[in-house]
């Protein structure tokens, strides 16, 4: 997986360089509409509850008032969005913080611009959790050793924090067998016995609970109750060549985060715009925390865990350069 990401990173960096040589557009691929009054901005997203503030901010006009016209494109995970941002397919993207750290250590030119989502700090009721079937012999995180656990992408924030939960519970994290499965397919994979457990975000974990699954670990909250889980980011090219666009996006996103925090019912309702969530699942799903600022201490801990697990290939992420 590490070699695959490195190869992909090199490819997209090369592509980005070639694209830059043939264009004088300092917007990194953005284009203007309505006589320059609106700037069309494409954003790479994951169809999960965490990105609700972006859609809510669009609806409330926070981006439009700053001359930004949003277009969202979905992907399976942050690791898939990063190449899209670097190549210019997206101007901004949503990614978990481990993916961004890994990209940075591989020399991929990315820069976080504003917070995305954080753990709500509630063990047993966080926005992600490791779930097992009702009759599973797994009782707590340490029992995951020797068993298969689904994550949406390998070598990422999911397996990093799951290992930490296992480690803290007295189990051997090296013995956990991770399997890559998209979030929306996890409830069926767990219920059908394809995996022993699944690390799920929302709404997948609420769907799984309705099928009888139970939570045995809350990796985010157990790693750090204030864990910065994901951020919105751009390429260093756009950050350098179009700082005004980055400033406007950051301001609009910050306003969106603050609004979503103060209006959780509206944040839930906006999920119906970009997911198939409805009914009981909509009312029961767990929301993350949406602070406007990243928690640097939690990011440093996450980076240390990634180093311990060897996912950065011996290199150390520069937290200040990436997230400040």
């Amino acid at each position: 997986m590490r070699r695959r990401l490195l190869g992909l990173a090199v490819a997209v960096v090369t592509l980005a360089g070639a694209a830059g040589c043939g264009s004088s557009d300092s917007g990194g691929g953005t284009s203007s509409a309505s006589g320059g009054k609106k700037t069309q901005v494409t954003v790479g997203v994951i169809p999960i509850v965490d990105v609700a503030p972006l859609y809510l901010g669009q609806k409330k006009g926070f981006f439009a008032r700053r001359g930004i016209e949003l277009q969202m494109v979905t992907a399976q995970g942050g690791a898939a969005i990063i190449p899209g941002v670097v190549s210019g397919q997206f101007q901004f993207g949503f990614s978990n913080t481990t993916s961004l750290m890994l990209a940075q250590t591989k020399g991929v030119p990315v820069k976080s611009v504003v917070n995305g989502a954080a753990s709500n700090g509630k063990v047993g009721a966080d926005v992600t959790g490791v779930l097992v079937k009702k009759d599973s012999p797994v009782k707590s995180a340490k029992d995951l050793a020797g068993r298969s656990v689904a994550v949406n992408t390998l070598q990422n924030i999911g397996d990093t924090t799951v290992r930490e939960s296992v480690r803290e519970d007295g189990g051997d994290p090296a013995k956990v067998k991770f399997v890559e499965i998209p979030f929306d397919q996890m409830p069926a994979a767990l219920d059908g016995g394809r995996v022993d457990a699944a690390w799920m975000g929302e709404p997948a974990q609420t769907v799984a609970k309705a099928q009888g699954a139970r939570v045995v670990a809350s990796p985010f909250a157990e790693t750090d109750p204030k864990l910065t889980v994901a951020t919105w980011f751009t390429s260093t090219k756009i950050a350098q060549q179009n700082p005004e666009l980055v400033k406007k996006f950051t301001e609009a996103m910050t306003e969106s985060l603050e609004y979503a925090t103060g209006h959780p019912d509206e944040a839930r309702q906006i999920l119906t715009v970009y997911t198939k969530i409805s009914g009981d699942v909509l009312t029961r799903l767990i929301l993350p925390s949406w602070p406007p600022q990243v928690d640097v201490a939690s990011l440093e801990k996450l980076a240390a865990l990634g180093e311990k697990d060897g996912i950065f290939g011996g290199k150390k992420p520069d937290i200040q350069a990436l997230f400040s």
Side-chain angles (χ1 to χ4, degrees):
M1 178 67 183
R2 194 177 303 134
R3 292 195 300 270
R4 186 175 67 188
L5 178 58
L6 177 57
L8 185 57
V10 172
V12 298
V13 170
T14 302
L15 177 59
C21 292
S23 173
S24 61
D25 180 13
S26 63
T30 58
S31 60
S32 297
S34 304
K37 295 181 181 180
K38 295 288 184 182
T39 299
Q40 295 178 351
V41 172
T42 304
V43 185
V45 298
I46 312 168
I48 56 176
V49 64
D50 305 54
V51 303
L54 179 72
Y55 289 86
L56 190 54
Q58 180 188 45
K59 179 181 178 181
K60 303 303 292 187
F62 301 155
F63 291 90
R65 286 204 295 271
R66 293 173 172 86
I68 294 176
E69 183 177 306
L70 294 176
Q71 178 182 1
M72 286 70 140
V73 178
T74 60
Q76 180 173 324
I81 293 173
I82 290 172
V85 170
V86 176
S87 69
Q89 179 185 359
F90 313 132
Q91 283 70 61
F92 298 92
F94 180 87
S95 174
N96 73 78
T97 46
T98 295
S99 281
L100 291 173
M101 293 179 199
L102 180 57
Q104 185 200 53
T105 61
K106 298 298 183 184
V108 180
V110 290
K111 172 71 175 177
S112 174
V113 298
V114 64
N115 197 25
S119 168
N120 64 26
K122 300 176 182 177
V123 174
D126 201 2
V127 69
T128 70
V130 177
L131 284 82
V132 298
K133 294 181 70 172
K134 184 178 181 179
D135 58 355
S136 170
V138 175
K139 303 301 180 184
S140 66
K142 66 180 179 181
D143 297 330
L144 295 172
R147 292 183 167 86
S148 58
V149 179
V151 291
N152 67 320
T153 50
L154 298 171
Q155 296 284 69
N156 228 297
I157 194 169
D159 46 23
T160 296
T161 54
V162 169
R163 288 191 189 97
E164 177 65 359
S165 289
V166 173
R167 185 182 293 117
E168 289 297 306
D169 196 39
D172 185 351
K175 293 183 178 179
V176 181
K177 305 169 186 176
F178 291 101
V179 180
E180 188 171 295
I181 298 176
F183 279 131
D184 61 354
Q185 296 177 25
M186 287 186 187
L190 180 63
D191 194 52
R194 288 173 52 198
V195 289
D196 299 315
W199 171 74
M200 303 185 193
E202 290 287 17
Q205 70 167 327
T206 294
V207 172
K209 287 176 184 176
Q211 296 173 344
R214 53 187 174 82
V215 176
V216 295
S218 298
F220 285 170
E222 289 164 357
T223 296
D224 191 308
K226 294 183 179 180
L227 182 65
T228 295
V229 173
T231 66
W232 298 94
F233 71 100
T234 190
S235 66
T236 55
K237 177 184 176 182
I238 290 180
Q240 293 168 358
Q241 296 186 0
N242 201 337
E244 186 61 25
L245 175 63
V246 174
K247 179 183 177 182
K248 289 178 179 179
F249 181 87
T250 299
E251 289 176 347
M253 198 65 241
T254 297
E255 188 173 4
S256 300
L257 292 166
E258 293 172 341
Y259 190 87
T261 298
H263 302 80
D265 289 342
E266 289 186 50
R268 286 179 186 277
Q269 193 58 41
I270 203 69
L271 294 173
T272 61
V273 171
Y274 65 96
T275 73
K276 297 178 181 179
I277 304 171
S278 61
D280 289 344
V281 174
L282 185 64
T283 58
R284 293 178 182 176
L285 62 79
I286 299 170
L287 298 179
S289 174
W290 286 304
Q293 304 296 327
V294 301
D295 186 279
V296 176
S298 74
L299 290 174
E300 291 174 343
K301 182 173 184 179
L302 189 62
L305 291 174
E307 288 181 75
K308 181 181 293 186
D309 290 337
I311 70 171
F312 300 134
K315 295 184 178 180
K316 185 175 183 179
D318 188 337
I319 300 301
Q320 291 298 326
L322 182 58
F323 296 103
S324 63

